[in-house]
Amino acid sequence: MTDTPPVGGQSAAPTPQPSVDLPAGPVDAPEGPPARLWDRMRDDPQYAPEHLALEAVRRLGPEAVQWAARARAEQPGVSADVLADQAARKFVNLARLSGAVSGAAGLPGAVIDVGVLAWTQARMVLHIAAAYDVDALHSDRATDLLVLQRVHKVAESARLALGVAAGRERADALFGLGGQRPLGRVMLQLGIRLAQMAGVRAAKRMVAKIVPGAAIVLGTWANSSATKDLAQRSRALYGTRGNAVPEPRQP
């Protein structure tokens, strides 16, 4: 699967705009962050959550919209709450599996684990939004992700950070910016930022994933617990919005 190129060709804006047209066929979304996103986050670890949120809306939003439409067609009369439950169960199970599989691979494995977890959680949030008829393609979903995943406390600071990250993406596409920093320090910073996004807040928890034996158990518990909490927050947010007048797409 080829990666979506950076947003260098888009017009300058605080956050990139959603696509208007959906693909005709099912969307094959990646199970984890695509390679170019990993490169972007490694080169700019300070804004790793923002880069992940932007890419998640671009790549996972269409999948979420199509999933909700397909689920409603296959389950006539199904309620939004039931669809949200289905999405939450699916992605909590995926998060649990992620912790069991990659927890014992050392620091690089721990970084991959929290990156895949943050991506899986973003996928779940967008599916829950779609379950409540909230536009999963709207650029505001990236803001929601950062607030729901507690990277930022309020939407305004999340939007500002997303604007910075989007600007860095454009600059990287135009000028090929990329730091030459010690890999170990970059990996640690990247792991901490992604762990914060994924709800694995304590640094000791991520480091403990490196310890043989305890890694798998701790990874499984931490991933599923953090994802369940995020699902509850997402349902509380979108369950209310789903009863309101749909928000307009940005032009």
Side-chain angles (χ1 to χ4, degrees):
M1 182 180 302
T2 58
D3 289 311
T4 301
V7 294
Q10 298 180 358
S11 58
T15 55
Q17 305 306 316
S19 300
V20 174
D21 297 324
L22 288 176
V27 177
D28 184 16
E31 294 295 330
R36 290 192 60 174
L37 175 58
W38 278 115
D39 291 341
R40 196 178 300 141
M41 293 190 298
R42 185 195 61 226
D43 290 342
D44 193 18
Q46 180 182 356
Y47 287 93
E50 287 78 12
H51 291 303
L52 191 147
L54 291 169
E55 190 70 13
V57 173
R58 283 192 290 255
R59 298 187 69 129
L60 303 179
E63 178 202 44
V65 172
Q66 290 194 358
W67 165 81
R70 187 167 57 249
R72 291 189 182 98
E74 294 172 352
Q75 306 170 65
V78 68
S79 70
D81 286 337
V82 169
L83 288 182
D85 281 340
Q86 292 173 1
R89 284 197 302 270
K90 174 182 178 179
F91 292 107
V92 167
N93 287 335
L94 286 177
R96 184 179 296 115
L97 178 63
S98 172
V101 170
S102 61
L107 178 58
V111 173
I112 292 172
D113 184 19
V114 293
V116 171
L117 175 58
W119 185 258
T120 299
Q121 289 179 345
R123 200 174 188 179
M124 179 188 70
V125 170
L126 293 172
H127 276 66
I128 291 175
Y132 286 107
D133 278 326
V134 176
D135 189 357
L137 299 174
H138 198 285
S139 59
D140 279 354
R141 299 296 79 76
T143 302
D144 292 346
L145 285 172
L146 295 177
V147 175
L148 284 167
Q149 293 178 284
R150 294 175 174 171
V151 177
H152 295 277
K153 292 183 179 180
V154 296
E156 185 59 32
S157 63
R159 290 191 189 99
L160 290 173
L162 286 166
V164 172
R168 287 170 180 249
E169 288 184 14
R170 286 190 290 270
D172 183 65
L174 290 172
F175 304 113
L177 303 178
Q180 299 294 326
R181 288 167 288 179
L183 181 59
R185 187 173 64 186
V186 168
M187 290 293 286
L188 183 59
Q189 184 181 7
L190 177 57
I192 290 172
R193 292 292 286 152
L194 290 175
Q196 177 192 8
M197 185 179 194
V200 189
R201 289 178 180 76
K204 291 181 180 179
R205 184 174 295 175
M206 189 186 76
V207 174
K209 291 188 177 187
I210 305 171
V211 178
I216 292 177
V217 175
L218 182 56
T220 301
W221 175 83
N223 288 6
S224 61
S225 176
T227 306
K228 286 179 182 177
D229 290 345
L230 177 61
Q232 292 177 352
R233 295 195 297 274
S234 301
R235 293 191 60 181
L237 175 66
Y238 294 129
T240 301
R241 289 189 189 177
N243 296 323
V245 176
E247 57 193 294
R249 289 266 183 90
Q250 294 187 10

